Amino acid sequence: MALPLPYSRWAHTFGRLLFPDPRRTGFELAMTEAARHGGGAYLEFGVHRGVSLLLAQQAAARAGLTSMRCVVFDSFEGLPNAETATFWRGRFAFSEQRFLRWFERAGGDLSQVEVVAGWFSDTLTPEHATSLNLGRIAVAHIDCDLYESSLEVLRWFEPLVGKGTVLILDDWHAYDGAGAPSDHGIQRALAESALRDRLEVLDDSPGLPRIVLVRA
Ligand SMILES: C[S@@+](CC[C@H](N)C(=O)[O-])C[C@H]1O[C@@H](n2cnc3c(N)ncnc32)[C@H](O)[C@@H]1O
């Protein structure tokens, strides 16, 4: 059950004071780097309720990237299939309406946000890339947990990213306890992507998203 507006915003603010999101520094680094390269759009693959989108907007504002266009993709039905005991079909299901409500109540700016709802297999098409007319991509945040989903994302935007685009690979360490993390999730997907040889690592703190820069 959603809390009435003043209480939910208060609960969020209070929670943030008690437990600041450890990814905040990575978003600040990404947005500072994005500003250095001239800005552009922010893409997020796997937005869920919008916690990381909020971090992105706050970091963008601090880096001087006001009015940053944010295009966010999600099924809003959770994960499509299970890969491990941690990630199962339907995990993170959170409807688009709930996302819009939660994000606004938490202080996000919806006027800058475009939502692309649906499975990546349906929404990440070449036609959609053209109609979205993304222009320069400043930052792309990939946070969809599964190898198959991450590979769909990478394949779609491989031709769209250029020199100076920053990638936030949220789940880089999600499989650290799984024996060979490189056999899973984003690590496995990136190894199969043409982008893998074009990246410079900006930050790889243990347990946190890996932040990388597209070199050329
Ligand atoms: C961990 S949540 C994202 C959390 C969010 N970025 C944050 O930090 O607040 C992962 C999201 O990826 C989405 N997702 C994963 N695979 C997908 C796919 N193939 N198509 C559409 N959405 C997908 C799920 O619906 C889920 O909301």
Side-chain angles (χ1 to χ4, degrees):
M1 192 187 74
L3 289 168
L5 184 61
Y7 300 110
S8 68
R9 188 173 289 161
W10 179 86
H12 180 72
T13 308
F14 191 62
R16 268 200 330 225
L17 288 175
L18 279 182
F19 310 106
D21 194 309
R23 298 174 297 176
R24 183 175 297 278
T25 314
F27 275 89
E28 308 227 315
L29 170 68
M31 290 302 174
T32 304
E33 199 63 27
R36 215 167 61 78
H37 286 88
Y42 171 80
L43 308 188
E44 181 158 304
F45 302 92
V47 73
H48 189 226
R49 78 180 64 201
V51 175
S52 49
L53 179 60
L54 198 58
L55 291 177
Q57 281 194 339
Q58 291 166 346
R62 273 193 291 275
L65 296 170
T66 45
S67 317
M68 192 177 204
R69 180 183 179 196
C70 300
V71 187
V72 301
F73 301 77
D74 206 297
S75 66
F76 296 104
E77 294 181 40
L79 301 176
N81 50 34
E83 200 183 55
T84 69
T86 333
F87 299 122
W88 57 88
R89 184 183 175 84
R91 185 169 181 204
F92 304 119
F94 201 77
S95 76
E96 183 178 351
Q97 285 316 310
R98 287 179 74 201
F99 154 68
L100 295 171
R101 216 167 40 233
W102 185 91
F103 185 69
E104 198 161 42
R105 286 177 176 185
D109 179 1
L110 277 177
S111 70
Q112 309 298 332
V113 177
E114 292 162 47
V115 179
V116 181
W119 296 110
F120 297 158
S121 49
D122 298 323
T123 58
L124 301 183
T125 61
E127 298 72 30
H128 208 175
T130 308
S131 66
L132 280 170
N133 194 18
L134 292 168
R136 183 170 190 284
I137 299 174
V139 178
H141 177 209
I142 309 177
D143 188 6
C144 45
D145 302 308
L146 305 178
Y147 157 73
E148 292 82 357
S149 300
S150 304
L151 191 62
E152 281 173 332
V153 171
L154 290 169
R155 289 266 186 265
W156 184 72
F157 77 45
E158 267 163 18
L160 305 176
V161 300
K163 186 171 166 36
T165 295
V166 181
L167 308 183
I168 303 176
L169 311 173
D170 203 283
D171 307 310
W172 192 261
H173 291 290
Y175 295 88
D176 277 2
S182 57
D183 287 349
H184 305 279
I186 183 69
Q187 291 202 28
R188 179 174 166 202
L190 188 63
E192 294 175 21
S193 161
L195 279 172
R196 71 176 181 272
D197 300 321
R198 299 170 57 195
L199 304 177
E200 175 189 334
V201 177
L202 297 179
D203 189 61
D204 187 25
S205 302
L208 288 175
R210 178 178 275 211
I211 318 281
V212 299
L213 180 73
V214 177
R215 269 194 271 105

